[in-house]
Amino acid sequence: MPTVYVTRKAHFNAAHRLHNPEKSDEWNRTTFGPCNNPNWHGHNYELTVTVGGKPNPDTGYVIDLAELKHIIEENVIRHLDHKNLNLDVPFLRGVLPSTENLVIAIWDRLAEALPAGKLYRIRLHETQRNSAEYFGPDK
Amino acid sequence: MPTVYVTRKAHFNAAHRLHNPEKSDEWNRTTFGPCNNPNWHGHNYELTVTVGGKPNPDTGYVIDLAELKHIIEENVIRHLDHKNLNLDVPFLRGVLPSTENLVIAIWDRLAEALPAGKLYRIRLHETQRNSAEYFGPDK
Amino acid sequence: MPTVYVTRKAHFNAAHRLHNPEKSDEWNRTTFGPCNNPNWHGHNYELTVTVGGKPNPDTGYVIDLAELKHIIEENVIRHLDHKNLNLDVPFLRGVLPSTENLVIAIWDRLAEALPAGKLYRIRLHETQRNSAEYFGPDK
Amino acid sequence: MPTVYVTRKAHFNAAHRLHNPEKSDEWNRTTFGPCNNPNWHGHNYELTVTVGGKPNPDTGYVIDLAELKHIIEENVIRHLDHKNLNLDVPFLRGVLPSTENLVIAIWDRLAEALPAGKLYRIRLHETQRNSAEYFGPDK
Amino acid sequence: MPTVYVTRKAHFNAAHRLHNPEKSDEWNRTTFGPCNNPNWHGHNYELTVTVGGKPNPDTGYVIDLAELKHIIEENVIRHLDHKNLNLDVPFLRGVLPSTENLVIAIWDRLAEALPAGKLYRIRLHETQRNSAEYFGPDK
Amino acid sequence: MPTVYVTRKAHFNAAHRLHNPEKSDEWNRTTFGPCNNPNWHGHNYELTVTVGGKPNPDTGYVIDLAELKHIIEENVIRHLDHKNLNLDVPFLRGVLPSTENLVIAIWDRLAEALPAGKLYRIRLHETQRNSAEYFGPDK
């Protein structure tokens, strides 16, 4: 069987703030503008997870998408949905929650939960116009 | 000329929390569930504003949509975008920021900024699946 | 409080066939064309349910959308999702499953499950281009 | 049978210019801004046509949507698609092609082609953010 | 001229069932859950076909998208639209119609109908949240 | 830090015509069909710009998307929006405005305005169903 890529989308709604605590408030305000609001702002995030592999001849599945949905839910969504990304999420402790840093952190969670080598791409839309994609550590 | 309805969409990203300060924490947690998170959560809100009237024979416009865009921007979006709806917005002071209460508050702002009787409908999507619509005070 | 309308979207994937058993096969083929395929075809249906009322001053809710989601799920979605609309659904027995007839049948289910007078509109997209809307029995 | 509303979407791509030939060039430039570009600009228009009526008990149809598609195609789309709305369309002769004027003109075409009283609403999106709706002549 | 990739989207509505006839009914029910419903279910499939190549200097086209539309229509859509993917489609005989197997089968149809080496990617959305992508046989 | 790809979407509305002035009118009519209309037609173009790189540890940004938005606006959108792509755009002089040729021309503009090697992909939707992608000159 040849390699096929399957994709599952999920959503979460979260608050965050772009702020680097090692820099001055002035630097943060200038660098991040309204995204630095100390009272937070938030987004409806759309997460797209792509897994690659050879379809199982018995099922026609690269991975059961119901199982992938469950893995995304348990490892990512229930930790992020209706949360504050700066304060409430153990696996984001110390991470500045830019979309770039979020896709790396989500990749690391899912790569561990999925069979080795299966995870192909994480895409995260912060808004309809802004998004980030990550294909794993550079080789 | 007959009555035509014109619509303009706008977006804002904000944090909020559903919490009634006149009730106990326990009541708030039970009533609002994850939407009561004390550390906030947030949304990409999509605001749809509809204005009705007879097209001006010289311009073909019910209202110049560039002007409507400007009115929405000045009276609503710049007060809500990248803000905390519970803390940062003078015209939402004391308002529990449910989608229902937001459409009423936004109506009141825009009805005042537009020529009398022009505003027809406010629609606000909190998520792709949840929204509220308001047609003004009951007559 | 004034009247506000809140909307919740849901989805289901189902098979169906347009066929009137009281008419000849020839009449059905001519009338319904490819929608009459005896081996069925199917759709990703998008259901939009709108409820109207005065927001509760304590909660800011016309209805708790989590509760509305649950009512839609229990009364409609779990009976229709991954089903054959002609064969598998007790409350559609004897109903020719056109989008028109489906919105009436779904209205009747939900009007009974919701507080009297609350249900305002049912909209059902059979495809991105084809949909039906129903506002309840004519008065 | 109760009244149900069915909707069909269609698309066309066209060039246009907002320009009132009875006014000065200066007035047109000031009033319409970039929409007055003498070399034209254009849009992917999305047209939404809604028809209301009682479903036929034999077919479950308010109107056969394949027939409605054909009526829209023959009376509207093939006259507007890949055309210049100011120059190429006999039924828009002398019409300033604002979205408002277009929904009125399209209503008039379709009201004549459909059984009397069936047409309920014309909606036209000029962009994702700008649209106009028309429910027919004021009564 | 450099390589450019052009994409055309198409749609079809079909019924299907995930069922491996070489396995027991019990295995099929456990493995495929509601997707194994013996009375079928269905989807609005969205098919995305991408072709790569160097634009023709005379036309600016990698391929005439009207021609690509026709090739997709003749080779894929008219065989799948309003059909049962398990019963009605000669080129899917013996294929378990998972999204993964469908993208491989559609690739094989289109690779044959297009100039050699032109086809770059097939993407198929079974729902808004579930999709599969295929880039041809592994090299 | 590993490589991450960030994407920003923008829109412009423009008129154009597919016409090769070195060929006969007959050739142009046959080759381009309705896209050859001498009175022009137009589109709402959706432009997607993707930039790759290692996130800056201080900001978490591959590039500040507000800055990328500004670069796209200054170098592309304000030259194309509400314009005629055949007549009004200096950097498209002599370019047959097929979607393929547009993505190459837009790439060249943006590759020059961005830090060397950062631009990864340009995607342009002419309609919801037709688009082109370009990854830069072949290596």
Side-chain angles (χ1 to χ4, degrees):
Chain A
M1 295 295 286
T3 301
V4 177
Y5 298 87
V6 294
T7 292
R8 174 79 195 167
K9 282 192 190 173
H11 295 84
F12 60 94
N13 309 317
H16 80 151
R17 175 197 188 193
L18 298 186
H19 185 81
N20 182 338
E22 297 179 3
K23 300 282 186 177
S24 70
D25 283 1
E26 177 55 23
W27 182 91
N28 275 289
R29 267 193 303 273
T30 308
T31 304
F32 295 120
C35 299
N36 185 242
N37 181 358
N39 286 333
W40 322 97
H41 66 285
H43 296 291
N44 302 338
Y45 288 93
E46 183 183 271
L47 174 65
T48 306
V49 177
T50 301
V51 163
K54 297 179 186 311
N56 178 320
D58 285 343
T59 61
Y61 284 166
V62 167
I63 186 173
D64 180 347
L65 284 178
E67 188 194 326
L68 179 57
K69 177 188 177 183
H70 180 75
I71 290 171
I72 298 169
E73 179 63 33
E74 285 306 301
N75 290 279
V76 180
I77 300 302
R78 77 180 183 83
H79 303 276
L80 303 183
D81 191 33
H82 284 76
K83 302 293 188 195
N84 184 308
L85 302 182
N86 301 62
L87 302 178
D88 293 338
V89 188
F91 75 81
L92 293 179
R93 195 115 326 143
V95 174
L96 199 163
S98 69
T99 317
E100 290 91 328
N101 286 344
L102 291 175
V103 287
I104 298 172
I106 292 169
W107 173 283
D108 290 347
R109 293 284 292 181
L110 289 175
E112 213 168 290
L114 286 162
K118 281 253 177 182
L119 189 57
Y120 173 69
R121 182 179 58 208
I122 298 291
R123 187 185 292 143
L124 186 67
H125 273 82
E126 193 186 75
T127 68
Q128 285 190 328
R129 299 199 171 192
N130 292 355
S131 60
E133 275 178 295
Y134 183 50
F135 295 82
D138 297 359
K139 280 149 209 159
Chain B
M1 295 295 285
T3 302
V4 177
Y5 299 86
V6 294
T7 293
R8 173 78 194 166
K9 281 192 189 171
H11 295 84
F12 59 95
N13 310 317
H16 81 151
R17 177 197 187 194
L18 299 185
H19 184 82
N20 183 339
E22 296 179 4
K23 300 281 186 176
S24 69
D25 283 2
E26 176 54 24
W27 183 92
N28 276 288
R29 264 194 304 273
T30 306
T31 304
F32 296 120
C35 300
N36 184 242
N37 180 359
N39 286 332
W40 321 98
H41 66 285
H43 297 290
N44 301 337
Y45 287 93
E46 182 183 271
L47 174 65
T48 305
V49 177
T50 300
V51 163
K54 297 180 186 310
N56 178 321
D58 286 343
T59 60
Y61 284 166
V62 167
I63 186 172
D64 181 345
L65 284 179
E67 188 194 324
L68 180 56
K69 177 189 176 182
H70 180 75
I71 290 170
I72 298 169
E73 178 64 32
E74 284 308 299
N75 291 278
V76 180
I77 301 300
R78 75 180 184 82
H79 303 276
L80 303 184
D81 191 33
H82 284 77
K83 302 292 190 199
N84 184 309
L85 302 181
N86 300 63
L87 302 178
D88 293 338
V89 188
F91 75 81
L92 293 179
R93 194 113 331 141
V95 174
L96 198 164
S98 69
T99 317
E100 289 90 328
N101 286 343
L102 292 174
V103 288
I104 296 171
I106 292 170
W107 172 283
D108 290 346
R109 293 283 293 179
L110 289 174
E112 214 169 287
L114 285 162
K118 281 254 176 181
L119 189 56
Y120 172 68
R121 181 181 57 208
I122 298 291
R123 187 186 292 145
L124 185 67
H125 272 81
E126 193 185 75
T127 67
Q128 285 190 329
R129 299 199 171 190
N130 292 354
S131 60
E133 276 178 295
Y134 183 51
F135 294 81
D138 298 359
K139 278 148 210 157
Chain C
M1 296 294 287
T3 302
V4 178
Y5 299 86
V6 294
T7 293
R8 173 79 196 167
K9 282 193 188 171
H11 294 85
F12 59 94
N13 309 317
H16 80 152
R17 177 195 187 195
L18 298 185
H19 185 81
N20 183 338
E22 296 178 3
K23 300 282 184 174
S24 70
D25 283 2
E26 177 54 23
W27 182 92
N28 275 288
R29 265 194 305 273
T30 308
T31 303
F32 295 120
C35 300
N36 184 242
N37 181 359
N39 286 333
W40 322 98
H41 67 286
H43 296 291
N44 302 338
Y45 288 92
E46 182 183 272
L47 173 65
T48 304
V49 177
T50 300
V51 164
K54 298 179 186 310
N56 178 320
D58 285 342
T59 60
Y61 284 166
V62 168
I63 186 173
D64 180 346
L65 285 178
E67 188 192 325
L68 180 56
K69 176 189 177 182
H70 180 76
I71 290 170
I72 299 169
E73 178 65 30
E74 285 307 300
N75 290 279
V76 180
I77 302 300
R78 76 180 184 83
H79 302 276
L80 303 184
D81 191 34
H82 283 76
K83 302 293 188 196
N84 184 308
L85 302 180
N86 301 62
L87 302 178
D88 293 337
V89 188
F91 75 82
L92 294 179
R93 195 115 327 140
V95 174
L96 197 163
S98 70
T99 317
E100 291 90 329
N101 286 343
L102 291 175
V103 288
I104 297 172
I106 292 170
W107 172 284
D108 290 346
R109 294 283 292 179
L110 288 175
E112 213 169 289
L114 285 162
K118 281 252 176 183
L119 188 57
Y120 173 67
R121 181 179 58 208
I122 298 290
R123 188 184 292 143
L124 186 67
H125 272 81
E126 193 185 75
T127 68
Q128 285 190 328
R129 300 198 171 193
N130 292 354
S131 60
E133 276 178 294
Y134 182 52
F135 295 80
D138 298 359
K139 281 146 208 160
Chain D
M1 294 296 286
T3 302
V4 178
Y5 298 86
V6 294
T7 292
R8 174 78 195 166
K9 283 194 187 169
H11 295 84
F12 60 94
N13 311 317
H16 81 152
R17 176 195 188 196
L18 298 185
H19 185 82
N20 182 339
E22 295 179 5
K23 300 282 185 173
S24 70
D25 284 1
E26 176 55 22
W27 182 92
N28 276 288
R29 265 194 304 273
T30 307
T31 303
F32 296 120
C35 299
N36 184 242
N37 180 358
N39 286 334
W40 322 97
H41 66 285
H43 296 290
N44 302 338
Y45 288 94
E46 182 183 272
L47 174 65
T48 304
V49 178
T50 300
V51 164
K54 297 179 186 311
N56 179 321
D58 285 343
T59 60
Y61 284 166
V62 167
I63 186 172
D64 180 347
L65 284 178
E67 188 193 324
L68 179 56
K69 176 188 177 183
H70 180 74
I71 289 171
I72 298 169
E73 178 65 32
E74 284 308 300
N75 290 279
V76 181
I77 301 301
R78 76 180 185 81
H79 302 276
L80 303 184
D81 191 35
H82 284 76
K83 301 292 188 198
N84 183 308
L85 302 181
N86 301 63
L87 303 177
D88 293 339
V89 187
F91 76 81
L92 295 179
R93 194 115 328 140
V95 174
L96 198 162
S98 69
T99 317
E100 290 90 329
N101 287 343
L102 291 174
V103 287
I104 297 171
I106 292 170
W107 172 283
D108 290 346
R109 292 284 291 180
L110 288 175
E112 213 169 288
L114 285 162
K118 282 254 177 183
L119 188 57
Y120 173 69
R121 182 179 58 208
I122 297 290
R123 187 184 293 143
L124 186 67
H125 273 82
E126 194 185 76
T127 67
Q128 284 189 329
R129 299 200 173 191
N130 292 355
S131 59
E133 277 178 294
Y134 182 52
F135 295 81
D138 298 359
K139 278 148 211 160
Chain E
M1 295 296 286
T3 302
V4 177
Y5 299 86
V6 295
T7 292
R8 174 78 194 166
K9 281 192 189 171
H11 295 83
F12 60 94
N13 309 318
H16 81 151
R17 175 196 189 194
L18 299 186
H19 185 81
N20 183 339
E22 296 179 5
K23 300 281 185 175
S24 70
D25 283 2
E26 176 55 22
W27 182 93
N28 276 287
R29 267 195 303 274
T30 308
T31 303
F32 295 120
C35 300
N36 184 241
N37 180 359
N39 285 334
W40 321 98
H41 66 285
H43 296 290
N44 301 337
Y45 288 92
E46 183 183 271
L47 174 65
T48 305
V49 177
T50 301
V51 163
K54 299 179 184 308
N56 178 320
D58 285 343
T59 60
Y61 283 167
V62 167
I63 186 172
D64 180 346
L65 284 178
E67 188 194 326
L68 180 57
K69 177 188 177 183
H70 180 75
I71 290 171
I72 298 169
E73 178 64 31
E74 286 306 301
N75 291 278
V76 180
I77 301 301
R78 76 178 183 84
H79 302 276
L80 303 184
D81 192 34
H82 284 76
K83 300 294 187 196
N84 183 308
L85 303 181
N86 301 63
L87 301 178
D88 294 337
V89 188
F91 76 81
L92 294 179
R93 194 112 332 139
V95 174
L96 198 164
S98 69
T99 318
E100 291 90 327
N101 286 343
L102 292 174
V103 287
I104 297 172
I106 292 170
W107 171 283
D108 290 346
R109 292 285 291 180
L110 289 175
E112 212 168 290
L114 285 162
K118 282 254 178 183
L119 188 57
Y120 172 68
R121 182 180 57 208
I122 297 292
R123 187 185 292 144
L124 186 66
H125 272 80
E126 193 186 76
T127 68
Q128 284 189 329
R129 299 199 171 190
N130 292 354
S131 60
E133 277 177 293
Y134 183 51
F135 294 81
D138 299 357
K139 278 148 212 159
Chain F
M1 294 296 286
T3 301
V4 177
Y5 299 86
V6 294
T7 292
R8 174 79 195 165
K9 282 193 188 171
H11 295 84
F12 59 94
N13 309 318
H16 81 153
R17 175 196 189 195
L18 298 186
H19 184 81
N20 183 338
E22 296 179 6
K23 301 282 185 173
S24 70
D25 284 1
E26 176 56 21
W27 183 92
N28 275 288
R29 263 194 304 274
T30 307
T31 304
F32 295 120
C35 300
N36 184 241
N37 180 359
N39 286 334
W40 323 96
H41 67 285
H43 297 289
N44 301 339
Y45 287 94
E46 182 182 271
L47 174 65
T48 304
V49 177
T50 300
V51 163
K54 297 178 186 311
N56 179 321
D58 285 343
T59 60
Y61 284 167
V62 167
I63 187 171
D64 180 346
L65 284 179
E67 188 194 325
L68 179 57
K69 177 188 177 183
H70 180 74
I71 290 171
I72 297 169
E73 179 65 32
E74 284 308 300
N75 290 280
V76 180
I77 301 300
R78 77 179 183 82
H79 303 276
L80 304 184
D81 191 35
H82 284 76
K83 302 292 187 196
N84 183 309
L85 302 181
N86 301 63
L87 302 177
D88 294 337
V89 188
F91 75 83
L92 293 179
R93 194 114 329 141
V95 174
L96 198 164
S98 69
T99 317
E100 290 90 329
N101 286 342
L102 291 174
V103 287
I104 297 172
I106 292 170
W107 172 283
D108 290 347
R109 293 283 292 178
L110 288 175
E112 214 168 291
L114 284 163
K118 281 255 178 183
L119 188 57
Y120 172 69
R121 181 181 57 207
I122 298 291
R123 187 186 292 144
L124 186 67
H125 273 81
E126 192 185 77
T127 68
Q128 286 189 328
R129 299 201 171 191
N130 292 353
S131 59
E133 276 177 294
Y134 182 51
F135 295 81
D138 298 359
K139 279 149 212 158

